[in-house]
Amino acid sequence: MMSDGPDIQPLPSAPPAELQRAQEERLLRAWKMPSGWRYWSEVNNTVVGLWYVAGTFLFFLFGGVLALLMRIQLAAPGNEFLSAEMYNQVFTVHGSVMMFLFAIPIFESIAILFLPQMLGARDLPFPRVSAFGLWCFLLGGIFLCGSIFFNAAPAGGWFMYPPLTSKYQPGIGADIWLLGFSFIELAAIAAAVELIVGVLKCRPPGMRINLIPLYCWYVLVAAVMVVFAFPPLIAGSLLLEIERAFDWPFFDPARGGDPLLWQHLFWLFGHPEVYIIFLPSVALIAMIVPTFAGRPIVGYSWIVLAAVGTGFLSFGLWVHHMFTTGLPGVSLALFSAASEAVAIPTGVQIFCFIATLAAGRVTRSVPMLWVFGALAIFVLGGLTGVMVALAPFDFQAHDTFFVVGHLHYVLIGGAVFPIVAGCYYFFPLINGKKLSVRLGKVSFWLAFIGFNVAFFPMHLTGLRGMPRRVFTYPPEAGWDVLNLLSTIGAFILAAGLAVFFWDMIRPKKKQPLCERNPWNAGTLEWLAEMPGKKWGMRTIPEIDSRYPLWDQPNFTRDYDEGRFYLPDAEEGKRETLVTSVIDARPVQCLRLAGPSFLPFWAAITIGGAFIFGTYHWWWPALISAVLGLGVTLVWLWTGTAFIPEKEQKDVGLGLTLPLYESGSKSVGWWAMFIVMLADMTAFICLVFGYFFYWTIHEDFPPASATGPGVFWPGVAAGLLTGAWALTALARRWNKRDRAMGFYAGLLTAGALAVAGGAALIAGPWLTGLDPKSHVYPAIVWALVIWTAFHIGLGVIMQGYCLARRLAGRMTARHDIDIANVTLYWHFTVITVVITVAVIAGFPLVK
Amino acid sequence: MRAFRLSGNRVHFVPGWWLALPGTLVLASCSGNQSSLAPAGREAEQIARLFWWMTAGAVAIWLAVAGLFFYAVRRRTEPRSERWGRLLILVGGAVVPAVVLGGLLAYGLSMMPPLVNRAPPGTRTIAVDGAMWWWRVSYPGPDGRTVELANEIRLPVGEPVEFQLTSSDVIHSFWIPSLAGKRDMIPGRLTHLALTPVRTGVFRGQCAEYCGTSHALMSFDVVVVEKEEFAAWLAQQAAPARAPVESLAISGQKQFLANGCGACHSVRGTPARGLIGPDLTHVGSRMSLGAGILPNEPDAFLRWIAHTPTVKPEVHMPAFGMLPPEELQALAAYLEGLK
């Protein structure tokens, strides 16, 4: 119950029936899906989310078929079903597809689909960004998967260790991996940004921080993890691709590089990645269990703390993937201890689910069956995880089929089974019909039995000496029976999943609609009618409980009659509420973007730059990048920061809210902030690279290094600090409506920025640093080019603000653009200062 | 064991018959000359013991959690209280794991130092350099000079050794499951693995880090013998190659040198001094060929020389299938004789 603040009640009586009809009609019109081929320009989360989920499942099927091919090859020793070259592509693409094109996108797509309804919102705050993410995902995924049909797929394993991938795999496979996935990762970060802002800022009034549905907490934690975990991989991929394309020796020991840097950067991403996969999947269990126990979750706060704790802790475990690389015993001990410790918050969550079931009256159902399977499998996987977390045992188990068994137990138990449970549970929200109980049970038992027959023997196979990633094995090794068993199990598992997929896609026209809230759940997404309406929410409700459908009297009636906020779309616009972070007080009425093809074109052109770059077609890549920039600018210009026709709007229940907010009150500012956190993380990884090389060389920078000197970096720092200061001042002048000051300030800032960027490049250029000769010049150049690129983007942004003000789309009051650009420049000047301190300052003090 | 038995006129279901299945599985799975569960080295023994303790604990914990789950979902008249639930979460989710994991860490980490630390000075050191896809092995010889061989390691039983591990191309991993855990071989770095074999036998090692197309075909033989046998073997390896005696082998030696094999391979005592490929001075007395993928027989030599990339995809050695069959036979006979 609310303890302080006014107790907002819904309207005491229903609006007249004709008004309700009119409201509903206007809402439906505002949220109407475009027809014909324009359907593909829709950006509503219910549509984009569905395509995204469908695409993800298609990639899952593709990866699954690859797995079956692998199992056929391994069913007998000396088998010749797949050649060595093909097998190595197949296992690489299987792992990469499952990790990057299934496990991450499924969490993001399910969240895009359901998060707004769980939060009583009409959509996520940046619908076109969701659509952009979807198109990037599809384009990048098809590019990657298609390569195997041309015998040009990556073949370095899903973690792509150099020097194998830097020097010994010519051909474009590795480049497809590096560039294709970096492109997709950018889209994943964009989706994560949106989910964070959605959970923090777009909740129903009254949904204080301790009333947020557990699924949303989990998604928040996972999305924050994405912001910090994906950049190390992007940074590492950048370095590896530059080594492949231009021969800069980041991972070449002959010229001062080190293959281990890749492992650190990769696993800094890779370990949090598996928790990013696990947490949102177990979040589905957290929503299913209370419903079928018929009572609220027991231990809500503990689950939240456990999820947050797991998120934090997971960034401190990565070295357990490197136990056999010869690191000192102290490191191994620390990372063993941390890796064991993460079992505790994980266990707390599982016990919360069990406690909830014990404290409730359990209804058996197909979702609960899959939840049981998930927990049974995941707990076993967690226990083998505790085993391999201990370095001495890992010395034997690392890189064997024991780990293959372990990882499939935690991923299939911790992600796939919960996702299937979620599909059975949430399916009515898609089209108002339930999936089949009979097919649900059949698919479960096939999948459960098949999975265990396939993967349990692998623990033994691995300890009996079979390493990972082998295309065949000798008959004398004695692994035949175990491998054949695994193959048989794999096909049984595949059969089970096939039955599940059939259940999803079979025609259901003749099947009757199910009743509203068929499971008698307590959370907001189950307000949906069967079938759901495109508006997402009839009205944005006021909340004072974790389970409003159970606790708040007459809640569904009040909702249906529009007795809460925003029951209408008087101006025909798509709208939702922005609320404060902790107490969810409404602070703004947010106008959402409508259908557009611009996100699609942005994805095509930006993706084109990556794809052409893979083939080293530099001019087409550059042109595509420029076009991508252009499309993005058009998207920003035509689709964001609209000056509304009025300052305030009546949102219902006697509340008026502004339609336009800028600065830290605006969702766009938050998005910029979070994106820049990700960007800074990638930059810090490059800095980490510099100091990593310093730790492994006695002489770093090497005595023979000629640059970059102190003068030019110093000049650059001065000029760029000036550019930053003038940009910030320009914002202030714009606020005070001093137009001339604004224009002069921003133009000068732009000029200083260009000069500063040139000065920064002059440092290594004029001192003759050759990045191919040694890793020191290479990493200095990498830092300089990264910074210069960001300066360039900053100059474009300054120009954009100038144009916006000139065109009257930005005023003293309506200054989102310059506010966000100033925020960007805060981060950029920090990047500049750190770069200069490192490349110019460190050689002086070391 | 039959699942059903006949008793009188009725068929009885034998309870527990199905336990035989995992039992057989487990028993079958422990054996092998490449099995970490059939240890023959001190380090592997310790790790295997740790594994069995952890497995016992894991089985117990899994059964307990499964039992709690079934208890929680079974139909009851009275649900348990929230307070009971919170106690369960605290004890089961936090306290018990903390205690168990603390104990496990104490046990596991206490056994770690000898597995990671350098062996004491004076330990016999064997250098192994990983290449795509074979093993270059160097022993300190009886007379102070290094003895070069490839793809096979022999060790005296009961004596600690330390392997110095390097790689000349990509990351490999040196692993003899029966004796000890593995250690990666990383270009630009020197890593070490200390181990002590405790019983004699023939074991197998295999590369355990994906290193390219034929990663699956990069194995080696490990023979643990008594000290005297080892000394004799080392002395024999240090000696130059046996001169061929019978005519086919003599012809084979001529072919070997004429076809340029010496550019990549060494046969000590002959002009063949190449360092790019494996040392072949005593290849005839190795347990296997091609880095553990072919038996040591004349036929295997023939296959290897004539159809190299078929035997080992993308191998760096060119095939010599264009040579006439008599020459190939001669080469095989020569190499077979290099005992």
Side-chain angles (χ1 to χ4, degrees):
Chain A
M1 299 295 293
M2 295 177 66
S3 52
D4 39 63
D7 224 21
I8 306 288
Q9 295 298 325
L11 291 178
S13 58
E18 323 88 62
L19 179 58
Q20 288 184 43
R21 289 304 142 271
Q23 289 177 338
E24 286 169 14
E25 205 205 309
R26 283 192 284 266
L27 276 173
L28 282 175
R29 219 173 321 127
W31 288 90
K32 187 163 177 289
M33 262 184 344
S35 57
W37 55 272
R38 287 185 198 284
Y39 166 77
W40 298 105
S41 68
E42 179 57 270
V43 295
N44 185 350
N45 74 298
T46 51
V47 179
V48 169
L50 205 54
W51 299 335
Y52 216 143
V53 168
T56 304
F57 276 131
L58 283 173
F59 284 122
F60 178 75
L61 285 175
F62 186 79
V65 168
L66 294 177
L68 291 178
L69 294 178
M70 286 159 64
R71 281 317 321 169
I72 295 175
Q73 166 65 11
L74 290 179
N79 206 355
E80 290 179 359
F81 175 70
L82 293 175
S83 69
E85 293 88 339
M86 183 46 76
Y87 184 89
N88 296 340
Q89 291 178 57
V90 171
F91 82 71
T92 300
V93 177
H94 165 75
S96 306
V97 164
M98 287 307 195
M99 295 302 274
F100 291 109
L101 299 178
F102 169 67
I104 296 291
I106 193 71
F107 124 64
E108 300 195 318
S109 55
I110 291 181
I112 289 173
L113 199 46
F114 295 129
L115 200 80
Q117 287 172 264
M118 289 184 183
L119 292 175
R122 292 234 165 85
D123 206 326
L124 290 170
F126 315 113
R128 291 185 184 178
V129 172
S130 309
F132 171 72
L134 163 76
W135 297 120
C136 289
F137 160 71
L138 287 177
L139 180 63
I142 292 173
F143 178 51
L144 190 105
C145 293
S147 64
I148 202 167
F149 297 103
F150 298 90
N151 201 25
W158 89 275
F159 31 94
M160 299 285 287
Y161 280 0
L164 178 66
T165 53
S166 55
K167 286 275 173 294
Y168 292 87
Q169 289 188 332
I172 59 169
D175 305 296
I176 291 180
W177 193 99
L178 292 165
L179 289 169
F181 282 133
S182 293
F183 174 53
I184 293 173
E185 284 147 30
L186 293 175
I189 294 180
V193 169
E194 202 182 6
L195 294 172
I196 295 172
V197 177
V199 173
L200 291 180
K201 297 286 289 173
C202 298
R203 305 205 298 271
M207 185 185 271
R208 289 169 7 256
I209 201 99
N210 64 335
L211 300 182
I212 300 179
L214 283 174
Y215 178 82
C216 307
W217 266 114
Y218 276 106
V219 165
L220 176 65
V221 171
V224 172
M225 289 169 72
V226 166
V227 168
F228 292 106
F230 277 47
L233 177 60
I234 292 178
S237 300
L238 198 66
L239 297 180
L240 185 53
E241 182 54 42
I242 291 176
E243 172 157 349
R244 283 181 60 87
F246 305 115
D247 195 28
W248 294 18
F250 298 110
F251 308 111
D252 179 2
R255 288 175 288 167
D258 188 1
L260 237 47
L261 177 62
W262 167 268
Q263 293 192 25
H264 283 295
L265 290 175
F266 185 86
W267 291 115
L268 266 167
F269 148 79
H271 194 79
E273 151 93 343
V274 303
Y275 288 97
I276 294 170
I277 293 171
F278 167 67
L279 290 175
S281 308
V282 96
L284 295 167
I285 299 184
M287 300 302 280
I288 293 173
V289 159
T291 301
F292 292 102
R295 59 147 297 132
I297 193 90
V298 173
Y300 174 96
S301 314
W302 294 9
I303 293 190
V304 173
L305 283 170
V308 172
T310 308
F312 264 110
L313 211 52
S314 72
F315 280 88
L317 308 185
W318 81 94
V319 173
H320 71 219
H321 300 272
M322 299 163 64
F323 275 159
T324 58
T325 56
L327 291 171
V330 161
S331 307
L332 304 189
L334 274 166
F335 281 96
S336 270
S339 306
E340 301 286 18
V342 82
I344 294 177
T346 312
V348 163
Q349 294 167 61
I350 294 178
F351 275 88
C352 286
F353 302 143
I354 295 180
T356 307
L357 291 168
R361 290 193 162 79
V362 180
T363 313
R364 311 228 165 165
S365 65
V366 172
M368 276 307 294
L369 188 57
W370 284 89
V371 165
F372 152 69
L375 291 177
I377 294 174
F378 177 76
V379 169
L380 201 156
L383 290 166
T384 56
V386 162
M387 292 171 153
V388 287
L390 217 44
F393 177 67
D394 190 59
F395 293 153
Q396 287 282 32
H398 172 71
D399 247 330
T400 69
F401 264 80
F402 188 94
V403 176
V404 178
H406 159 70
L407 73 91
H408 283 92
Y409 266 83
V410 285
L411 284 175
I412 296 188
V416 175
F417 271 62
I419 287 167
V420 178
C423 287
Y424 275 92
Y425 181 65
F426 283 114
F427 200 83
L429 293 181
I430 304 297
N431 64 356
K433 308 204 176 161
K434 280 190 187 176
L435 292 174
S436 152
V437 170
R438 190 177 56 89
L439 292 178
K441 289 185 185 168
V442 166
S443 63
F444 171 78
W445 286 109
L446 282 173
F448 187 76
I449 292 171
F451 171 82
N452 282 290
V453 171
F455 289 99
F456 191 81
M458 289 187 184
H459 299 101
L460 310 173
T461 319
L463 288 176
R464 278 211 61 183
M466 184 169 179
R468 281 173 87 161
R469 301 161 155 199
V470 289
F471 76 95
T472 191
Y473 53 92
E476 310 84 60
W479 304 328
D480 342 5
V481 172
L482 293 167
N483 270 290
L484 184 60
L485 212 51
S486 288
T487 300
I488 293 172
F491 276 88
I492 300 175
L493 169 63
L497 291 172
V499 171
F500 159 65
F501 277 115
W502 168 245
D503 198 6
M504 295 249 280
I505 61 174
R506 66 184 163 85
K508 300 178 180 71
K509 282 213 165 51
K510 301 229 185 80
Q511 194 176 314
L513 292 169
C514 66
E515 70 277 22
R516 199 171 175 188
N517 194 2
W519 313 114
N520 193 23
T523 43
L524 292 177
E525 69 276 18
W526 293 103
L527 284 168
E529 291 145 44
M530 299 290 157
K533 299 270 200 312
K534 279 280 158 278
W535 57 45
M537 298 294 289
R538 169 69 178 86
T539 169
I540 317 265
E542 178 85 24
I543 297 301
D544 65 8
S545 153
R546 283 178 195 150
Y547 299 90
L549 272 63
W550 289 342
D551 295 342
Q552 292 177 228
N554 298 315
F555 187 70
T556 308
R557 178 208 71 187
D558 292 341
Y559 168 85
D560 284 337
E561 292 174 352
R563 295 198 194 192
F564 293 106
Y565 298 102
L566 288 183
D568 201 345
E570 292 107 345
E571 299 92 2
K573 302 257 187 257
R574 299 182 172 190
E575 290 165 337
T576 194
L577 284 184
V578 174
T579 54
S580 65
V581 174
I582 306 286
D583 288 324
R585 278 175 296 100
V587 296
Q588 182 191 349
C589 173
L590 180 67
R591 294 243 170 99
L592 297 164
S596 163
F597 279 110
L598 286 168
F600 173 77
W601 290 118
I604 296 285
T605 47
I606 296 174
F610 283 88
I611 292 175
F612 291 132
T614 307
Y615 294 96
H616 293 195
W617 299 340
W618 303 122
W619 280 111
L622 188 62
I623 294 170
S624 206
V626 169
L627 280 173
L629 179 65
V631 172
T632 308
L633 288 172
V634 169
W635 171 358
L636 288 169
W637 188 276
T638 60
T640 64
F642 291 114
I643 301 181
E645 72 282 6
K646 56 189 177 200
E647 272 304 312
Q648 305 262 336
K649 178 180 160 126
D650 178 353
V651 297
L653 297 186
L655 186 62
T656 23
L657 292 176
L659 283 164
Y660 187 105
E661 288 283 20
S662 70
S664 57
K665 290 217 192 93
S666 89
V667 290
W669 188 93
W670 277 70
M672 173 67 86
F673 189 87
I674 299 168
V675 166
M676 291 316 291
L677 286 177
D679 186 78
M680 284 300 282
T681 307
F683 169 67
I684 294 298
C685 289
L686 296 178
V687 174
F688 166 73
Y690 181 100
F691 287 104
F692 179 83
Y693 293 127
W694 169 65
T695 62
I696 62 166
H697 292 296
E698 284 187 9
D699 186 24
F700 191 89
S704 57
T706 51
V710 179
F711 175 72
W712 285 113
V715 166
L719 290 170
L720 289 159
T721 310
W724 160 73
L726 276 172
T727 308
L729 279 172
R731 181 188 176 194
R732 198 174 295 185
W733 287 325
N734 174 68
K735 249 190 159 45
R736 297 194 189 144
D737 213 4
R738 290 171 49 183
M740 290 324 294
F742 170 76
Y743 291 125
L746 212 50
L747 274 166
T748 317
L752 287 176
V754 171
L760 194 62
I761 294 177
W765 185 298
L766 295 176
T767 52
L769 285 183
D770 174 13
K772 288 199 208 194
S773 63
H774 186 269
V775 80
Y776 171 73
I779 193 70
V780 168
W781 267 110
L783 288 167
V784 162
I785 291 179
W786 175 277
T787 313
F789 175 76
H790 283 74
I791 295 167
L793 280 182
V795 171
I796 295 175
M797 291 188 197
Q798 288 162 334
Y800 181 84
C801 289
L802 278 169
R804 292 284 279 189
R805 170 111 200 190
L806 274 171
R809 292 194 177 226
M810 184 174 81
T811 67
R813 154 84 180 95
H814 302 105
D815 67 343
I816 282 179
D817 303 299
I818 189 68
N820 290 357
V821 168
T822 309
L823 179 61
Y824 175 85
W825 268 96
H826 292 328
F827 282 93
T828 303
V829 77
I830 295 174
T831 305
V832 167
V833 166
I834 294 177
T835 298
V836 167
V838 169
I839 67 175
F842 180 73
L844 297 177
V845 305
K846 68 118 191 168
Chain B
M1 190 190 293
R2 289 201 300 173
F4 298 93
R5 60 181 167 81
L6 218 48
S7 164
N9 283 336
R10 288 149 72 202
V11 175
H12 293 264
F13 185 68
V14 175
W17 66 272
W18 47 271
L19 276 171
L21 183 60
T24 335
L25 212 63
V26 169
L27 280 172
S29 79
C30 289
S31 56
N33 65 351
Q34 195 175 334
S35 172
S36 60
L37 298 177
R42 190 175 306 148
E43 292 71 17
E45 281 177 342
Q46 294 177 328
I47 297 173
R49 203 173 310 128
L50 172 66
F51 168 71
W52 289 119
W53 275 111
M54 293 197 295
T55 302
V59 169
I61 294 173
W62 190 89
L63 287 171
V65 175
L68 274 167
F69 180 87
F70 282 115
Y71 171 73
V73 301
R74 76 173 214 279
R75 289 181 218 275
R76 245 172 292 111
T77 41
E78 233 6 86
R80 305 250 30 167
S81 67
E82 264 190 45
R83 196 163 154 275
W84 182 91
R86 280 197 279 271
L87 201 60
L88 175 71
I89 297 167
L90 183 63
V91 170
V95 172
V96 168
V99 168
V100 169
L101 292 174
L104 185 61
L105 273 169
Y107 173 20
L109 296 185
S110 68
M111 68 186 271
M112 199 165 68
L115 299 177
V116 276
N117 289 344
R118 298 293 308 273
T123 311
R124 185 189 309 272
T125 309
I126 303 170
V128 184
D129 182 76
M132 285 153 107
W133 293 281
W134 61 282
W135 312 85
R136 189 191 299 269
V137 181
S138 310
Y139 278 77
D143 55 355
R145 286 188 305 175
T146 336
V147 179
E148 298 285 337
L149 53 144
N151 300 325
E152 183 169 296
I153 291 171
R154 297 207 184 196
L155 300 171
V157 66
E159 193 188 300
V161 298
E162 186 179 69
F163 291 96
Q164 286 193 332
L165 304 168
T166 52
S167 165
S168 47
D169 44 29
V170 299
I171 302 179
H172 299 277
S173 194
F174 182 80
W175 188 36
I176 313 169
S178 312
L179 299 186
K182 62 184 65 71
R183 196 56 40 89
D184 292 350
M185 309 157 104
I186 302 170
R189 283 171 179 255
L190 176 63
T191 50
H192 303 91
L193 180 68
L195 59 87
T196 306
V198 295
R199 60 181 169 84
T200 57
V202 177
F203 308 102
R204 221 169 124 85
Q206 187 163 357
C207 177
E209 182 62 63
Y210 177 64
C211 54
T213 312
S214 283
H215 160 65
L217 304 175
M218 184 172 165
S219 300
F220 59 101
D221 298 293
V222 180
V223 188
V224 179
V225 294
E226 300 293 346
K227 286 196 173 37
E228 308 76 39
E229 214 183 310
F230 173 77
W233 170 83
L234 191 58
Q236 179 241 359
Q237 291 289 318
R242 276 194 207 176
V245 276
E246 50 111 19
S247 59
L248 194 59
I250 292 173
S251 161
Q253 181 176 41
K254 290 206 188 72
Q255 294 300 332
F256 188 85
L257 296 169
N259 280 299
C261 308
C264 294
H265 296 282
S266 282
V267 181
R268 272 173 278 123
T270 76
R273 302 303 277 142
L275 296 172
I276 300 172
D279 186 296
L280 298 178
T281 311
H282 299 287
V283 66
S285 54
R286 287 190 198 146
M287 309 282 304
S288 64
L289 302 180
I293 62 172
L294 292 169
N296 191 331
E297 295 161 1
D299 264 345
F301 276 111
L302 269 172
R303 273 191 68 204
W304 177 263
I305 299 167
H307 308 290
T308 334
T310 317
V311 179
K312 193 175 260 196
E314 297 200 358
V315 70
H316 295 157
M317 171 173 158
F320 286 84
M322 67 289 193
L323 296 177
E326 323 79 65
E327 286 188 29
L328 290 169
Q329 306 254 359
L331 278 166
Y334 169 61
L335 292 167
E336 183 74 29
L338 287 175
K339 296 207 193 292

